[in-house]
Amino acid sequence: MTNGEILETAMRQSAIDANCKAEDFKRSENVIAESVKNPNARKYLQLPLTCNLISYGNNIVASIDMKYREIVETYINKYETEHCFETPNMQVLNTQFTEHGLQICFMAEYFLPDLNVLEPLPCKYEVRILEQKDFEGLYLPQWSNALCEKRKELDVLGIGAYKDNKLIGLAACSADCETMRQIGVDVLPEERRQGIASALTSRLAKEILLRGKVPFYCCAWSNIKSVRNAVKSGFRPAWVEMTVKPIEFVAELNK
């Protein structure tokens, strides 16, 4: 697998998620697509979406409820691609959607491995490859980034770091779609700043690739610790997304 093939795989999955064509992400002009349900979309996406803006850097593909086409099309064609995903321009879109009982909710940056730099990083503790059966009993708050209790059946592979036979760090991946695996990682607070997160993330990425799947990593752009871990582990920014949700949904998250 090459970096180009990894990127193409991600674009094909984004096309499934957004109900568009993979080549739409390479266009210079923006693209509007109707958001629809698709059994092959990433499992955690609650399709159809009111509005989800996706950019691989060239343009914006807006996957939307078509009743909001005028709002979204005007917005993405007024501002530069990168500015559509940040303030102050973002406030324009948020204000217009608020009038319809909706608000901007999620903003995320997605990373893909760079095979030119991806290598298993050293860890001074014992590391073990974990399978789905090994996760039983690990659905605890300290491992909530690596594992998802609501979707246990999707947690398929992990790598743990052990100190005196005690699990102190865990990177795991979920089978969110057929071709890709999303990595999450946790390290106990007292064991951080020792390179454990990057050692586990990089090793898990290699294991995923060996199994013929593409690893990806997601975090908020403002989560500096997570971004640093991604970069140190051999990942590079690939695409961004911004999602609109009902005001009630946003309020629930803000409790």
Side-chain angles (χ1 to χ4, degrees):
M1 197 177 297
T2 66
N3 281 340
E5 290 169 339
I6 286 173
L7 181 59
E8 290 291 336
T9 298
M11 286 184 173
R12 285 195 297 272
Q13 184 58 49
S14 290
I16 292 171
D17 300 338
N19 189 34
C20 67
K21 299 176 181 178
E23 54 264 33
D24 287 339
F25 298 106
K26 303 176 185 179
R27 300 184 188 279
S28 56
E29 67 276 6
N30 296 320
V31 174
I32 299 287
E34 183 177 12
S35 181
V36 298
K37 290 186 177 181
N38 190 320
N40 297 316
R42 283 175 287 161
K43 302 301 182 185
Y44 56 86
L45 295 179
Q46 297 176 331
L47 299 177
L49 294 170
T50 299
C51 175
N52 191 41
L53 305 185
I54 307 167
S55 179
Y56 278 79
N58 300 303
N59 67 344
I60 295 175
V61 171
S63 183
I64 66 169
D65 181 330
M66 283 300 185
K67 74 170 72 172
Y68 302 108
R69 177 168 187 150
E70 184 177 355
I71 291 175
V72 177
E73 196 164 31
T74 300
Y75 176 73
I76 64 176
N77 288 328
K78 182 176 182 179
Y79 303 110
E80 294 293 327
T81 295
E82 59 273 20
H83 297 317
C84 286
F85 292 85
E86 63 181 13
T87 55
N89 299 153
M90 185 184 72
Q91 302 294 355
V92 172
L93 186 65
N94 193 61
T95 297
Q96 291 186 308
F97 269 121
T98 299
E99 296 175 3
H100 297 273
L102 302 155
Q103 287 183 335
I104 293 171
C105 183
F106 298 123
M107 299 169 63
E109 185 171 16
Y110 292 81
F111 300 76
L112 291 172
D114 181 350
L115 300 184
N116 295 317
V117 296
L118 178 66
E119 291 294 341
L121 296 176
C123 182
K124 66 180 182 180
Y125 299 108
E126 177 192 3
V127 295
R128 304 174 191 170
I129 296 177
L130 306 175
E131 305 289 347
Q132 193 172 56
K133 58 181 174 56
D134 301 312
F135 298 144
E136 195 64 37
L138 295 181
Y139 287 93
L140 303 168
Q142 59 264 43
W143 312 122
S144 60
N145 288 312
L147 301 171
C148 180
E149 188 169 16
K150 292 181 179 180
R151 298 188 295 273
K152 288 183 178 181
E153 71 280 1
L154 300 181
D155 294 329
V156 293
L157 182 67
I159 295 188
Y162 291 82
K163 179 181 180 181
D164 299 327
N165 213 35
K166 175 189 176 182
L167 182 65
I168 60 170
L170 174 65
C173 66
S174 54
D176 293 329
C177 56
E178 175 59 31
T179 59
M180 303 180 74
R181 300 289 181 263
Q182 181 172 195
I183 293 177
V185 61
D186 291 291
V187 177
L188 296 181
E190 63 272 21
E191 301 294 347
R192 292 172 185 169
R193 297 185 178 277
Q194 301 182 71
I196 297 172
S198 56
L200 297 178
T201 303
S202 60
R203 288 166 184 247
L204 181 56
K206 293 290 281 189
E207 288 294 330
I208 293 169
L209 287 165
L210 285 173
R211 288 161 170 77
K213 306 296 182 181
V214 171
F216 72 101
Y217 188 103
C218 172
C219 67
W221 64 267
S222 55
N223 190 341
I224 301 300
K225 290 186 293 185
S226 191
V227 171
R228 285 176 175 166
N229 179 57
V231 173
K232 184 178 179 181
S233 301
F235 285 74
R236 299 293 181 263
W239 80 96
V240 293
E241 297 189 21
M242 186 168 75
T243 310
V244 171
K245 288 283 190 177
I247 286 177
E248 295 79 12
F249 182 90
V250 177
E252 184 66 26
L253 293 179
N254 283 330
K255 281 185 178 180

